[in-house]
Amino acid sequence: MKNLILFFFLFTGNIALSQELYINTEPASLIPKGSKVIRLTNSNIFLDGVNSLGSILGNAKLLIPSVSYGISKRLMISASIQFSNNPGTDDYPNFSFTGFKIYSKQRILSSDRKKFHTRLSSFIKYAYHENKFMENNLDLEIQNSGMEFGLVGTQLINKLAISVTSGFTRIYNIDDKRAVGESINLNLFKNALSLGYLVLPRKYKSYKQTNFNIYLEYITNTILNNNFPDRYNKFSSIIAPGIQFILLSRSRIDFSYKIRKSESPEEFLIKLTYIIY
Amino acid sequence: MKKQYLFILSFLFTSLFSYAQSFNSTITVNGLTCAMCSFSTQKSLEKLDFIKQITPDLEKTAFELVFDDTKFIDFDMIQEKVEDAGFFIGNIKIHFEEKLNPNNNDHAVYNNNLFHFIMINNANSSTYNLIDKNFISENDFESFSEFTSHACYLTGSHNESCCSNHENLVSKKVFHLEPDSE
């Protein structure tokens, strides 16, 4: 995995064209003031094994509509709701409303030169989720409830985009299976490295040209508590390669495959995005 | 008596240069690295009613703007709209229909805008760079400041104490130009 990241660095270093519209992490840049971004994420988690009743687990399916709004050039907000099924539970619930997220991002620093920019922003997120797809994993994006805040910095040189996210996550109400009915909160140190690389077009001539970008995102969580249920690893990570098409300069279609460390299930997601100015 | 008339005439003439000559502009925007960024910037600029037409040059990250001759052109608003989209103005060039030959510190009204020319070398040109405080670096601003004692370069506005005789203009703003050497 480290070799893959190294390879990607070398690759992007030579061909300096890229993008920062990451699929699984947020860039430090904000959406334009007054614009609305509508997004629909469809995700499949490939659950492995059987549930306690002996049924073979299929895929967990998630549908996450979201809307973002640029309040000012320094502040944006997002809200999303989650619909999902969860084959992992014994009663195998049907597809239903299972959670929501609210997110806000504030610009701290923004500096530009021609085809070069630096952005630093802070963010805060609250998530509430009912379905636990992975018993031995913590993921505020899809299955846990809690708060997260941190900083994200994005550097664009020519068209090469590198983004680093660092934050603190507090996960609420983890079922502490060591004692029946007990729940605990866990603190995590979250880090992410996101790389974006623009493959096409080589030259911009028109808004109608389709852009093709490839991405690699590496997201890690480290549990800060000394004492936590032993079904979790202290360190967990996701590596997510992805591709993206930007159509008519205002809509996007993203594909990403999330590979989780250890024995956690993999995930495939498709994201549709449309900007209303 | 004749001298007096001549004086009044020359006074009117020099202080109220007013032309119905249209001008357009090319703005370069920094930080634009994708068509989506440029499109966002264009959409933001389209909200300004004094811009009639916007033509993007995606490769140069520039926009050619055609203005409405009947309106005051507020370059500060152009800057604000670019920044709303999340980017920054690199520079603003103003293109006149004909070559101008102003002297240093000449003021002239074109359509509804008052311009103040700062001429370091008196080259005549039809293209001028906007050199107001918010559009150039601090160093550049200081070097241009040496060529004018007018307070309007610092304040960006004309009033009783500076650049008088322009009371009937739509806006108090005065923009400063230097000839483009390119």
Side-chain angles (χ1 to χ4, degrees):
Chain A
M1 202 176 286
K2 272 177 189 165
N3 286 340
L4 194 67
I5 294 169
L6 195 68
F7 173 76
F8 198 83
F9 255 123
L10 290 171
F11 190 50
T12 51
N14 292 329
I15 309 158
L17 293 165
S18 84
Q19 277 294 12
E20 63 173 87
L21 304 165
Y22 305 112
I23 304 169
N24 297 294
T25 51
E26 281 275 336
S29 55
L30 274 66
I31 60 173
K33 182 191 170 186
S35 65
K36 293 160 251 354
V37 175
I38 296 172
R39 190 166 286 166
L40 186 65
T41 307
N42 179 292
S43 188
N44 274 276
I45 304 172
F46 306 113
L47 300 173
D48 207 11
V50 293
N51 66 14
S52 59
L53 298 176
S55 323
I56 293 169
L57 299 180
N59 298 345
K61 292 185 200 305
L62 289 76
L63 198 63
I64 305 167
S66 96
V67 59
S68 304
Y69 181 68
I71 295 174
S72 75
K73 62 182 179 185
R74 293 199 172 78
L75 178 67
M76 65 166 273
I77 50 163
S78 294
S80 65
I81 52 175
Q82 186 199 66
F83 299 92
S84 67
N85 67 350
N86 189 357
T89 54
D90 295 344
D91 53 354
Y92 207 131
N94 290 324
F95 205 71
S96 61
F97 172 78
T98 48
F100 67 90
K101 275 180 289 192
I102 44 175
Y103 176 84
S104 161
K105 188 160 56 177
Q106 303 79 35
R107 181 206 279 186
I108 295 172
L109 180 127
S110 185
S111 146
D112 277 343
R113 277 187 271 146
K114 203 172 169 71
K115 297 195 179 187
F116 176 103
H117 74 229
T118 310
R119 297 279 186 278
L120 182 69
S121 295
S122 63
F123 66 91
I124 184 159
K125 183 190 286 178
Y126 175 80
Y128 169 81
H129 291 116
E130 286 175 353
N131 267 351
K132 304 280 178 289
F133 307 101
M134 299 167 287
E135 276 298 328
N136 58 352
N137 216 318
L138 297 164
D139 195 333
L140 198 66
E141 290 305 311
I142 55 170
Q143 69 160 22
N144 293 104
S145 300
M147 290 279 290
E148 187 170 277
F149 60 88
L151 295 173
V152 51
T154 299
Q155 178 67 58
L156 235 131
I157 309 159
N158 290 322
K159 290 171 181 180
L160 161 72
I162 302 170
S163 198
V164 174
T165 310
S166 210
F168 175 82
T169 314
R170 186 162 174 84
I171 305 245
Y172 300 139
N173 297 326
I174 295 294
D175 187 359
D176 187 349
K177 294 193 171 170
R178 294 168 296 188
V180 176
E182 292 269 320
S183 70
I184 54 162
N185 299 327
L186 288 178
N187 299 327
L188 311 182
F189 183 41
K190 180 204 173 119
N191 284 290
L193 175 69
S194 310
L195 302 167
Y197 163 63
L198 183 136
V199 184
L200 290 169
R202 305 292 291 192
K203 266 187 192 293
Y204 281 118
K205 291 190 187 76
S206 140
Y207 291 131
K208 289 177 180 164
Q209 280 172 307
T210 298
N211 292 17
F212 175 59
N213 303 312
I214 60 171
Y215 289 93
L216 189 68
E217 292 160 281
Y218 182 60
I219 304 157
T220 68
N221 276 319
T222 308
I223 299 176
L224 297 171
N225 301 57
N226 290 325
N227 186 14
F228 57 89
D230 58 11
R231 65 180 190 276
Y232 298 118
N233 292 317
K234 188 165 180 68
F235 178 84
S236 62
S237 69
I238 297 172
I239 189 153
I243 59 169
Q244 174 180 73
F245 298 91
I246 300 179
L247 309 168
L248 300 171
S249 299
R250 71 183 305 167
S251 48
R252 281 162 47 185
I253 177 161
D254 308 340
F255 301 90
S256 180
Y257 198 82
K258 285 160 103 169
I259 304 154
R260 289 184 169 83
K261 200 171 176 258
S262 66
E263 289 169 9
S264 291
E266 292 171 359
E267 183 183 345
F268 176 69
L269 63 90
I270 302 172
K271 214 175 220 186
L272 303 171
T273 305
Y274 185 74
I275 305 182
I276 301 169
Y277 290 103
Chain B
M1 195 67 177
K2 257 186 181 174
K3 262 188 181 173
Q4 244 174 336
Y5 274 119
L6 205 66
F7 177 75
I8 291 169
L9 199 73
S10 71
F11 180 76
L12 283 172
F13 189 57
T14 52
S15 61
L16 287 170
F17 267 130
S18 185
Y19 302 98
Q21 189 186 149
S22 60
F23 54 90
N24 295 315
S25 191
T26 306
I27 63 168
T28 55
V29 177
N30 288 343
L32 296 181
T33 54
C34 63
M36 215 172 198
C37 314
S38 299
F39 195 62
S40 297
T41 308
Q42 168 144 357
K43 282 287 168 188
S44 191
L45 286 169
E46 279 174 8
K47 290 173 186 157
L48 298 172
D49 67 343
F50 57 80
I51 300 176
K52 275 202 303 198
Q53 195 190 318
I54 304 170
T55 313
D57 183 336
L58 299 176
E59 193 57 25
K60 288 182 183 158
T61 70
F63 298 89
E64 280 173 29
L65 309 179
V66 177
F67 296 130
D68 183 343
D69 289 345
T70 65
K71 294 201 164 81
F72 168 70
I73 311 306
D74 191 344
F75 294 97
D76 294 329
M77 282 305 293
I78 293 177
Q79 183 172 48
E80 191 180 313
K81 288 298 167 194
V82 168
E83 291 186 4
D84 280 350
F87 303 96
F88 293 95
I89 293 277
N91 66 52
I92 294 187
K93 287 187 198 300
I94 292 158
H95 313 288
F96 293 93
E97 283 175 331
E98 290 164 15
K99 277 194 175 178
L100 311 178
N101 197 8
N103 293 315
N104 191 29
N105 287 321
D106 271 358
H107 290 65
V109 176
Y110 288 92
N111 296 331
N112 295 296
N113 276 67
L114 175 62
F115 290 115
H116 176 172
F117 293 89
I118 295 180
M119 310 293 288
I120 291 177
N121 42 15
N122 283 342
N124 55 354
S125 175
S126 60
T127 300
Y128 290 80
N129 294 311
L130 192 73
I131 52 164
D132 279 277
K133 204 177 179 183
N134 296 332
F135 297 90
I136 56 173
S137 70
E138 250 174 67
N139 283 347
D140 287 347
F141 181 74
E142 274 173 28
S143 10
F144 284 121
S145 299
E146 288 171 14
F147 289 83
T148 182
S149 55
H150 292 232
C152 61
Y153 191 43
L154 200 66
T155 61
S157 61
H158 58 93
N159 49 43
E160 295 80 26
S161 63
C162 177
C163 328
S164 48
N165 302 316
H166 300 293
E167 282 81 10
N168 42 7
L169 284 175
V170 193
S171 169
K172 284 276 170 215
K173 285 182 184 177
V174 50
F175 291 101
H176 297 77
L177 304 178
E178 62 115 12
D180 186 42
S181 51
E182 277 171 33

